[in-house]
Amino acid sequence: MRGVTRFSNYVICANIIIDPESHGGRCGLFPAPAVTEPEGAKGDGEREGFWDGVAGDGLRRTGHLRAVRGSLLFLLLLLSDLLLCKSVASLPICPSGAVNCQVSLRDLFDRAVILSHYIHNLSSEMFNEFDKRYAQGRGFITKAINSCHTSSLSTPEDKEQAQQIHHEDLLNVILRVLRSWNDPLYHLVTEVRGLHEAPDAILSRAIEIEEQNRRLLEGMEKIVHQVHPGVRENEVYSVWSGLPSLQMADEDSRLFAFYNLLHCLRRDSHKIDSYLKLLKCRIVYDSNC
């Protein structure tokens, strides 16, 4: 079974919020499935749909995401995502059950940009929720600067630096950063359950980000194989060793470890989102955008 999240009469589909009454219950990019909240892991075959274009097997919710209703941020996202849904309405969908369905490079980039933006939004919301609930008055921000496990990776710091890097190298940078987050995101989901009165707004986003980070990595590998067919990229990434910090008995130290990890996640998800938009413009539109 597939799951989506409803806010009042709206459906979130691949971070696109639609009104089922005016759009027939469907997002232009993916169909809106029945409203369910599934439990349990998904098989590899289910995760392929977002990138292979199989109708109905697109970006799925893990069934735990329940954002805070009524906030100004949600209203702003609602308006922007309604416009985004219209912009992707023409993207092709492969027939259900299609064999060897090929998705164009442009469509892969479109979906990767949507997904990276979605992950960055979730990571920002999760960080803000944690900061509000656990970090007020503790001075964590002054200690969190330049202490990310991915700092060992050479990444452009801004758009100007990124524009100077060859697209093949920038694609590899994205792969390395995404791979560097596989392990910490897995443990984040486990350890955040142990936080005192951990709000569902944090846990649900951690679960969702872990799932979608894996999905984005799968999509980026497909993009790399299309841009450079036959080239095998070494699986280079930065090793994370922060699990003991998330399990420390001292509450202040443990909370800072969570704060720092979420701060780094927000930073890196923003970088990936920016790099992908630049690459899409450069590769798909020959920099004419």
Side-chain angles (χ1 to χ4, degrees):
M1 296 290 290
R2 296 191 280 277
V4 297
T5 299
R6 286 187 182 270
F7 294 95
S8 183
N9 291 324
Y10 294 93
V11 179
I12 290 181
C13 173
N15 198 33
I16 301 169
I17 307 176
I18 61 172
D19 180 352
E21 297 299 325
S22 61
H23 289 76
R26 295 175 63 87
C27 171
L29 184 56
F30 307 109
V35 179
T36 58
E37 293 194 349
E39 298 288 344
K42 300 177 178 60
D44 291 339
E46 290 188 79
R47 289 200 300 269
E48 291 177 354
F50 182 70
W51 301 107
D52 292 345
V54 178
D57 283 337
L59 182 62
R60 300 192 188 99
R61 311 294 295 172
T62 57
H64 300 281
L65 181 60
R66 302 183 185 92
V68 179
R69 300 183 183 185
S71 68
L72 178 60
L73 176 61
F74 171 74
L75 293 175
L76 291 174
L77 287 174
L78 174 62
L79 293 175
S80 64
D81 286 349
L82 278 169
L83 295 175
L84 179 59
C85 188
K86 292 181 180 179
S87 70
V88 298
S90 62
L91 289 179
I93 304 279
C94 292
S96 181
V99 179
N100 297 324
C101 179
Q102 297 299 316
V103 180
S104 71
L105 185 61
R106 175 178 176 175
D107 291 339
L108 287 174
F109 264 110
D110 283 339
R111 299 175 190 197
V113 167
I114 290 172
L115 189 48
S116 68
H117 186 67
Y118 175 53
I119 292 171
H120 177 56
N121 280 345
L122 287 177
S123 64
S124 297
E125 292 168 1
M126 182 167 61
F127 173 80
N128 291 337
E129 180 68 24
F130 185 92
D131 181 59
K132 179 178 66 176
R133 182 174 289 262
Y134 297 105
Q136 295 301 301
R138 296 179 183 266
F140 286 164
I141 187 60
T142 58
K143 299 188 293 183
I145 299 174
N146 297 324
S147 58
C148 300
H149 74 287
T150 52
S151 295
S152 60
L153 298 174
S154 179
T155 60
E157 292 300 322
D158 51 40
K159 183 178 179 180
E160 287 68 29
Q161 288 186 17
Q163 287 175 332
Q164 304 303 315
I165 299 179
H166 189 270
H167 66 262
E168 180 179 357
D169 295 328
L170 198 54
L171 283 169
N172 287 333
V173 166
I174 294 173
L175 286 176
R176 290 164 187 167
V177 174
L178 288 173
R179 287 169 181 154
S180 298
W181 278 101
N182 279 341
D183 194 40
L185 285 173
Y186 171 80
H187 289 289
L188 176 64
V189 171
T190 302
E191 298 303 324
V192 79
R193 300 177 191 272
L195 286 174
H196 177 64
E197 297 181 350
D200 186 66
I202 294 177
L203 176 59
S204 60
R205 284 169 173 82
I207 293 171
E208 181 73 354
I209 291 171
E210 186 209 2
E211 170 69 16
Q212 304 314 330
N213 186 75
R214 290 199 306 267
R215 188 157 295 161
L216 181 56
L217 178 56
E218 292 173 4
M220 290 310 304
E221 289 169 346
K222 289 179 180 292
I223 287 174
V224 170
H225 292 157
Q226 281 208 30
V227 174
H228 300 288
V231 175
R232 295 183 61 85
E233 197 266 336
N234 293 327
E235 292 196 4
V236 178
Y237 60 93
S238 181
V239 176
W240 178 70
S241 57
L243 180 57
S245 297
L246 298 181
Q247 300 172 333
M248 294 182 70
D250 179 72
E251 183 183 32
D252 198 64
S253 299
R254 184 163 57 91
L255 289 177
F256 171 70
F258 277 103
Y259 179 93
N260 188 58
L261 187 63
L262 299 184
H263 176 267
C264 293
L265 176 62
R266 184 181 65 168
R267 185 200 73 165
D268 285 352
S269 64
H270 176 67
K271 284 186 176 183
I272 290 173
D273 192 37
S274 300
Y275 299 162
L276 268 172
K277 289 171 181 174
L278 187 152
L279 284 170
K280 176 183 174 182
C281 178
R282 186 189 296 178
I283 295 174
V284 177
Y285 297 104
D286 198 24
S287 299
N288 293 319
C289 51

